Amino acid sequence: MQFSELSLAGLLIFAVLATSVSYAQTKYEKAVFAGGCFWCMTPPFEKLDGVVSVVSGYTGGKGENPTYEDYAQKGQIEAVEVTYDPAKVTYQELLDVFWKQINPTDGGGQFCDRGPQYRSAIFYLTDEQKNTAEKSKTALGKTGRFQQPLVTEIIPASRFYNAEDYHQDYHKKNPIRYKFYRFSCGRDQYLNKIWGGAAEAKDPVPQSKPEKYSKEELKNKLTPLQYKVTQESGTEPAFHNEYWDNHREGIYVDVVSGEPLFSSADKFESGTGWPSFTRPLEKDNVIEKTDNSFFMRRVEARSKQGNSHLGHIFNDGPKPTGLRYCMNSAALRFIPKEDLEKEGYAKYKSLFK
């Protein structure tokens, strides 16, 4: 082998070794935070330069191998595990982001999610993290932003269990549903009030209502029939639609925005071939407008946030309201009672006990 070839081989070996050493010197660390729904805790940390990953999961309890169906019974808490590069982002910076996502004075849960499984907590993995967290909490309490004592716990980290795949990056997989859930839960309104629009790292708190979507986005999201009904005030065929004969227990939400509209408890057999209800589940979510099309005077029903055409309201319904909310199945999405919690509508579970 010639000298030049030996030199080239040596340089290649040196480059590989140098790369390996450089990679080995990159030591990532972990931080674990609980702030209510883990869907809402993921995006703020993901935006930080230096954060490698954010995983939703369960921790803080004694029950092993928790699932979404039983983690609360096992004493686990919804939390996120943040893997980060301490050379790019400090633990203190992570704490600064954490405090701006929660209500640290609420010991009974966070926003619309109630129960110990939704309480806020900092799980420290080292004594240094513990000391930093305690100092950060003390400093926050002295700012005068809060009228009540801060009750967020600072406790030793225990085993972290990854949540199911469908919970990971929920805000990316289900953006419309996520935005409506976050808004309807009251998180953004509270954070805007306390922090004045600086809750998420490097970004303001989302707007006070879910954003609107372009025609192109809606055409990509909806089926042709759903688009025709919700965006062009169309009507689907009677007796040939998804929910006219649906008898399962659950709620019906806007197919565009996800806002709750009707409950199966108020659904009745109208004989018209369309799903009919005596009243809305959330009255404020159903807007009434005068419709003079087809040489008739009718009352149109539209969703408040999604602005979707839903159907019409008539005065020939049964007691107690005497009304018939005649809706298009194509404007609705049905969520069975057993899926309410994992879909973000846990507050309605009590309707079906």
Side-chain angles (χ1 to χ4, degrees), residues 119-340:
R119 68 188 187 272
S120 63
I122 299 169
F123 297 91
Y124 62 86
L125 289 90
T126 65
D127 288 340
E128 183 180 358
Q129 284 191 354
K130 177 185 178 182
N131 293 334
T132 304
E134 289 176 342
K135 290 178 181 177
S136 178
K137 180 179 177 180
T138 299
L140 183 67
K142 294 179 179 179
T143 61
R145 290 180 182 272
F146 307 96
Q147 302 303 312
Q148 294 83 31
L150 309 190
V151 296
T152 298
E153 300 173 66
I154 300 175
I155 50 184
S158 54
R159 181 174 177 180
F160 185 91
Y161 296 89
N162 289 8
E164 294 79 353
D165 286 343
Y166 66 86
H167 286 304
Q168 307 302 333
D169 281 327
Y170 187 88
H171 63 292
K172 296 178 182 177
K173 298 174 182 176
N174 303 278
I176 295 178
R177 212 176 307 166
Y178 165 73
K179 288 172 184 176
F180 181 78
Y181 163 75
R182 185 182 174 97
F183 167 74
S184 63
C185 204
R187 184 181 291 259
D188 290 337
Q189 296 88 320
Y190 173 85
L191 297 179
N192 269 313
K193 178 181 177 181
I194 297 297
W195 297 101
E200 291 195 0
K202 300 182 181 179
D203 281 328
V205 176
Q207 297 300 310
S208 59
K209 60 182 180 180
E211 64 185 73
K212 304 301 180 183
Y213 293 86
S214 68
K215 288 184 178 181
E216 194 62 33
E217 288 175 315
L218 289 171
K219 284 183 177 179
N220 290 332
K221 168 184 169 59
L222 305 174
T223 67
L225 179 59
Q226 289 172 334
Y227 186 88
K228 180 180 179 180
V229 169
T230 61
Q231 307 304 305
E232 299 176 347
S233 299
T235 301
E236 64 193 2
F239 300 102
H240 294 282
N241 55 77
E242 191 170 3
Y243 302 130
W244 78 272
D245 199 31
N246 182 31
H247 298 287
R248 297 176 67 188
E249 290 186 307
I251 68 172
Y252 296 81
V253 304
D254 184 309
V255 72
V256 173
S257 68
E259 58 197 296
L261 299 173
F262 299 98
S263 166
S264 61
D266 301 310
K267 190 172 184 288
F268 69 98
E269 296 294 334
S270 65
T272 62
W274 290 287
S276 300
F277 306 87
T278 57
R279 58 188 171 190
L281 173 59
E282 296 287 355
K283 187 175 181 180
D284 290 343
N285 290 346
V286 179
I287 304 299
E288 299 181 12
K289 292 189 175 183
T290 301
D291 179 5
N292 294 317
S293 62
F294 301 104
F295 306 102
M296 294 183 288
R297 186 177 181 83
R298 296 177 296 175
V299 178
E300 178 193 14
R302 301 189 71 89
S303 62
K304 181 178 181 179
Q305 300 297 340
N307 194 32
S308 302
H309 170 74
L310 305 174
H312 290 87
I313 307 170
F314 302 94
N315 294 315
D316 56 6
K319 294 180 179 180
T321 65
L323 299 175
R324 171 169 59 93
Y325 286 78
C326 187
M327 303 292 101
N328 287 279
S329 294
L332 308 173
R333 185 170 73 89
F334 176 70
I335 302 175
K337 63 179 182 180
E338 59 269 21
D339 293 340
L340 288 173

